[in-house]
């Protein structure tokens, strides 16, 4: 490996990467950090059960989830099991987001059993579905659960493969659902003596699901994603390749960011708008591009996903604008007047985009936000979906009001619940009261904070540094792009962009005369007074090298401007 610069060493040291061995592993294009799949609790017994059922000709149903992690997990297991089963022996089931919700449910299990399946294999769900597993067992079905969610309730009484379950010695707990499915695939490959190429062929799916579920891109996940990106770059999965063509993205240009912002939203759109099986069927098309060029059905699936994603964006924007209008009409439509907790009832919001809108409200106003929508035939119930800011545990706040909920679950930064509509006002009052206490203890709770990696001068932001920073990729949760604080600059050539002037391009000029091209999205209006004053400023953001029509150009992606 080439000599590692001091800048990269400083950045990695701040992230806990200190030894030479760890530095080389983190930066290596061919990382080796992976673990024996049989270290996972119940893996040996789980693989034996699967192989026995497959050999006996028993029909196996893969039970997945409607998000990108569940979709890729389902496709991955369909691919692996196809090598040890006969045609028609394995199929899958993904519940409807709207009619069934997340996880196992007894009605689905009943239907699966009636269709002649003798075994249920879950991916990305099932760890605490104790009652549902008991029901499946009462029908005579064998059950194997693979999952990665926290076990906060009674664990299902069956073979459960989940690194987060009590007593599991697996050294890395941050696998996505598709990461756990991938470890099961590795174990099957070893026990069934399948070619190693069988495992390599699904690395792209494991990478997409890992990034899509916002898992930390460290340790074994980093290995999975690096090798998975390499498979995507080869363009071997016909369905994925056609999707990339439809969105004008070349396979060799795919990064973790393009997975997050382009591939995953299209996969998720199928489950948000209609039926996630469309995405599964697209990803199952793994022929080489030459044999798939005339596949009209493939083009139809791609067109449907693209259309559904456009629908999703349209619904999302319309709902967000209606929520902003509600806040404005209530006299709290700006960051200065907004309430400490946003609990917004939206009568006609599409359930599939409620979480995205809650997240956008949270980012816009920097407050915890929950969007509730009517549910049930008589609309006497409300479904809630929430997102929170750092320092405010949404789960803890709602747990204090658990008596209001028919169903409730989540974690610090996101949650979901079902409640009777009559309790909404009391819930709102309780949440505002709880937030008042939090703000009293921490007056700066609503001040956006930034974890600065390095303070530098604008002239230090060079194309060479931008390229060197790419050694730290793939970027994402647990390994964000390095955040720089640039001091003592002035803003020049400010140009607003977008229909409402929410974005802007400008140049940051240092005292030495160096001009750094900059761009800021979504919050340009926030800085109007400072821009007019021409005062010196500090910029917080990330550095990137863009390639446009074959030309490389430097850009500082600005998150915050602080004027003196």
């Amino acid at each position: 490996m080439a000599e590692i610069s001091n800048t990269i060493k400083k950045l990695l040291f701040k992230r806990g990467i200190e030894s030479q061995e760890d530095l080389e592993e983190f930066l290596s294009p061919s990382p080796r950090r992976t673990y024996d799949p049989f270290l996972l609790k119940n893996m040996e017994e789980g693989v034996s059960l699967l192989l026995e059922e497959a050999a006996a000709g028993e029909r196996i149903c893969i039970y997945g989830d409607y998000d990108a992690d569940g979709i890729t997990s389902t496709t991955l297991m369909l691919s692996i099991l196809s090598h040890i089963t006969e045609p028609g022996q394995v199929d899958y089931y993904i519940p409807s987001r709207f009619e069934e919700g997340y996880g196992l449910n007894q009605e689905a299990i009943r239907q699966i059993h009636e269709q002649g399946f003798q075994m249920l294999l879950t991916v990305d769900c099932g760890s605490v579905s104790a009652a549902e597993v008991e029901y499946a067992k009462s029908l005579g079905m064998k059950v194997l659960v693979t999952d990665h969610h926290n076990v906060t309730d009674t664990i299902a009484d069956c073979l459960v493969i989940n690194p987060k379950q009590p007593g599991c010695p697996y050294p890395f707990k941050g696998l996505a659902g598709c990461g756990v499915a991938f470890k099961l695939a590795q174990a099957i490959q070893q026990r069934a003596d399948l070619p190693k190429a069988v495992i390599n062929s699904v690395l792209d799916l494991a990478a997409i699901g890992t990034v899509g579920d916002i898992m930390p891109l460290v340790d074994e996940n980093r290995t999975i994603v690096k090798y998975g990106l390499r498979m995507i770059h080869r363009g071997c999965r016909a369905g994925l390749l056609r999707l990339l063509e439809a969105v004008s993205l070349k396979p060799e240009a795919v990064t973790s960011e393009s997975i997050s912002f382009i591939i995953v939203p299209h996969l998720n759109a199928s489950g948000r708008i209609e039926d996630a099986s469309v995405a599964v069927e697209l990803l199952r098309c793994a022929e080489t591009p030459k044999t798939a060029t005339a596949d009209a059905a493939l083009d139809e699936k791609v067109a449907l996903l693209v259309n559904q994603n456009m629908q999703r964006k349209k619904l999302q924007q319309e709902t967000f604008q209606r929520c902003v209008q509600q806040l404005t009409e209530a006299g709290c439509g700006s960051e200065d007047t907004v309430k400490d907790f946003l609990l917004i009832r939206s009568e006609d919001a599409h359930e599939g985009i409620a979480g995205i809108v809650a997240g956008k409200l949270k980012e816009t106003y920097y407050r915890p936000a929950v969007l509730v929508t009517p549910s049930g035939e008589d609309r006497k119930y409300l479904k809630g979906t929430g997102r929170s800011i750092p320092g405010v545990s949404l789960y803890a706040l709602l747990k204090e009001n658990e008596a209001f909920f028919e169903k409730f679950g989540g974690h610090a930064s996101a949650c979901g619940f079902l409640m009777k509509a009559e309790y909404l006002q009391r819930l709102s009052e309780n949440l505002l009261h709880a937030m008042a206490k939090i703000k009293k203890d921490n007056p700066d709770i609503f001040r956006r904070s930034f974890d600065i990696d390095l303070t530098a001068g604008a002239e230090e932001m060079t194309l060479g540094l931008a390229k060197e920073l790419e050694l730290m990729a793939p970027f994402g949760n647990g390994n964000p792009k390095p955040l720089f604080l640039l001091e003592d600059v002035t803003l020049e050539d400010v140009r607003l962009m977008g229909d409402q002037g929410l974005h802007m391009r400008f140049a940051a000029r240092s005292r030495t005369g160096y001009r750094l091209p900059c761009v800021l999205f979504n919050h340009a209006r926030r800085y109007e007074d400072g821009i007019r004053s021409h005062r010196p400023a500090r910029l917080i953001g990330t550095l990137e090298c863009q390639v446009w029509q074959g030309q490389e150009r430097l850009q500082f992606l600005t998150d915050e401007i602080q004027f003196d």
Side-chain angles (χ1 to χ4, degrees):
M1 175 176 285
E3 181 66 24
I4 304 169
S5 75
N6 287 332
T7 300
I8 297 297
K9 286 180 180 178
K10 283 181 186 177
L11 292 170
L12 291 180
F13 184 84
K14 188 174 184 295
R15 299 178 187 205
I17 312 296
E18 301 177 16
S19 70
Q20 186 66 23
E21 180 183 351
D22 286 344
L23 280 168
E24 291 180 0
E25 168 68 17
F26 193 89
L27 299 175
S28 172
S30 301
R32 299 179 181 178
R33 184 153 295 167
T34 186
Y35 307 102
D36 182 353
F38 292 98
L39 290 175
L40 282 158
K41 183 178 179 179
N42 296 325
M43 181 62 84
E44 190 74 63
E45 297 86 343
V47 171
S48 296
L49 175 62
L50 259 180
L51 294 179
E52 288 167 8
E53 296 295 294
E58 301 284 62
R59 297 192 69 203
I60 302 168
C61 182
I62 301 165
Y63 193 107
D65 186 26
Y66 41 69
D67 68 357
D69 191 12
I71 288 166
T72 52
S73 300
T74 301
T75 311
L76 190 155
M77 289 313 308
L78 284 167
S79 177
I80 294 300
L81 293 181
S82 70
H83 295 280
I84 60 170
T85 57
E86 298 297 323
Q89 191 180 345
V90 178
D91 209 338
Y92 69 97
Y93 184 93
I94 295 181
S96 164
R97 175 190 293 268
F98 314 106
E99 297 172 10
E100 299 167 272
Y102 168 79
L104 289 169
N105 69 82
Q106 292 192 11
E107 177 58 25
I109 293 170
R110 183 188 66 77
Q111 291 179 26
I112 291 166
H113 178 258
E114 288 180 352
Q115 290 170 18
F117 290 93
Q118 292 91 14
M119 181 174 179
L120 201 61
L121 168 62
T122 79
V123 289
D124 194 29
C125 65
S127 290
V128 295
S129 299
E132 291 78 11
V133 167
E134 287 306 309
Y135 178 68
K137 288 162 60 179
S138 74
L139 298 175
M141 300 182 77
K142 306 284 180 62
V143 183
L144 173 60
V145 165
T146 71
D147 194 7
H148 75 122
H149 292 96
N150 291 327
V151 180
T152 57
D153 206 339
T154 304
I155 194 165
D157 185 16
C158 65
L159 289 174
V160 175
I161 300 173
N162 181 343
K164 292 179 181 173
Q165 70 177 306
C168 182
Y170 199 73
F172 180 58
K173 307 297 184 182
L175 292 171
C178 66
V180 178
F182 180 73
K183 301 311 291 188
L184 175 59
Q186 283 185 317
I188 292 171
Q189 181 261 327
Q190 292 178 29
R191 288 292 180 263
D193 199 25
L194 298 173
K196 191 69 180 290
V198 167
I199 288 297
N200 293 339
S201 69
V202 296
L203 275 163
D204 56 347
L205 298 172
I208 291 169
T210 298
V211 173
D213 218 41
I214 320 179
M215 291 296 102
L217 297 189
V218 297
D219 207 286
E220 189 170 23
N221 282 345
R222 193 166 174 81
T223 303
I224 290 171
V225 173
K226 278 196 175 184
Y227 283 102
L229 282 168
R230 194 176 297 177
M231 291 301 297
I232 293 172
H233 294 164
R234 292 177 185 172
C236 297
R237 186 173 299 276
L240 179 60
L241 183 62
R242 297 295 272 275
L243 176 60
L244 295 177
E245 289 173 351
V247 296
S248 303
L249 182 61
K250 293 181 179 180
E252 62 272 19
V254 172
T255 63
S256 57
E257 289 97 326
S258 43
I259 290 178
S260 290
F261 298 113
I262 300 175
I263 296 175
V264 166
H266 280 87
L267 298 181
N268 280 340
S270 60
R272 291 188 186 280
I273 299 300
E274 195 173 334
D275 180 2
S277 64
V278 176
V280 173
E281 292 303 316
L282 179 74
L283 292 178
R284 289 181 77 179
C285 298
E287 310 98 317
T288 58
K290 289 182 180 178
T291 62
T293 49
D295 191 341
L298 194 58
D299 289 336
E300 187 178 330
K301 292 182 182 72
V302 170
L304 183 57
L305 277 187
V306 170
N307 180 261
Q308 287 175 335
N309 193 49
M310 290 172 63
Q311 281 183 261
R312 187 269 306 171
K313 288 195 285 189
K314 183 173 182 289
L315 288 168
Q316 174 185 321
Q317 186 59 23
E318 289 173 349
T319 303
F320 175 74
Q321 288 175 345
R322 285 198 298 270
C323 289
V324 171
Q325 184 64 27
Q326 279 182 243
L327 292 172
T328 301
E329 291 173 356
C332 50
S334 70
E335 288 191 40
D336 296 329
T337 60
V338 69
K339 291 182 179 180
D340 291 342
F341 194 107
L342 301 178
L343 183 60
I344 302 173
R345 176 166 176 159
S346 181
E347 295 299 327
D348 52 359
H350 192 286
E351 282 185 33
I353 52 87
I356 304 176
V357 174
K360 192 170 181 182
L361 289 165
K362 179 261 296 186
E363 285 298 323
T364 301
Y365 296 101
Y366 205 66
R367 299 289 191 278
V370 172
L371 193 66
V372 295
T373 57
S375 180
E377 292 182 9
D378 53 7
R379 297 169 70 89
K380 290 183 179 178
Y381 289 88
L382 295 173
K383 271 190 177 179
T385 304
R387 300 291 183 267
S388 193
I389 62 174
V392 179
S393 171
L394 198 53
Y395 182 86
L397 282 177
L398 291 170
K399 184 74 174 174
E400 295 174 1
N401 297 276
E402 193 171 14
F404 291 145
F405 305 132
E406 306 291 315
K407 291 181 180 179
F408 162 65
H411 46 84
S413 59
C415 76
F417 60 78
L418 179 69
M419 68 181 293
K420 289 182 178 179
E422 62 197 70
Y423 296 138
L424 183 63
Q425 183 60 36
R426 289 170 61 191
L427 176 62
S428 178
E429 292 168 358
N430 288 0
L431 290 172
L432 287 171
H433 182 68
M435 282 306 306
K437 289 183 178 178
I438 291 174
K439 190 165 69 170
K440 184 178 179 181
D441 293 337
N442 183 2
D444 294 328
I445 191 68
F446 297 134
R447 180 174 294 174
R448 297 173 195 265
S449 59
F450 298 92
D451 187 8
I452 305 297
D453 286 287
L454 208 59
T455 300
E459 57 276 356
E460 296 177 66
M461 301 292 103
T462 64
L463 198 58
L465 176 60
K467 289 181 178 180
E468 192 176 23
L469 293 174
E470 288 301 317
L471 292 171
M472 296 175 61
F475 297 112
N477 180 28
N479 184 44
K481 281 191 169 183
L483 199 61
F484 295 97
L485 169 63
L486 307 186
E487 296 188 306
D488 199 14
V489 298
T490 53
L491 276 53
E492 298 183 345
D493 301 333
V494 177
R495 180 163 52 89
L496 296 179
M497 302 183 296
D499 293 339
Q500 299 174 334
L502 297 178
H503 323 302
M504 70 177 183
R505 288 194 178 278
F506 61 97
R509 184 184 182 92
S510 72
R511 285 185 178 274
T512 63
Y514 180 80
R515 285 165 54 88
L516 175 66
C518 301
V519 63
L520 180 143
F521 293 109
N522 297 320
H523 303 296
R525 296 285 179 82
R526 187 186 297 165
Y527 305 109
E528 287 178 340
D529 291 342
I531 292 169
R532 281 194 292 265
S533 72
H534 301 290
R535 286 175 289 164
R538 293 172 297 279
L539 305 183
I540 297 172
T542 57
L543 189 66
E544 57 184 28
C545 171
Q546 289 192 321
V547 179
W548 176 252
Q549 296 182 338
Q551 297 293 314
E552 294 178 335
R553 65 182 188 188
L554 188 66
Q555 179 171 271
F556 191 77
L557 187 57
T558 309
D559 293 326
E560 173 88 348
I561 304 174
Q562 299 172 348
F563 291 97
D564 289 343

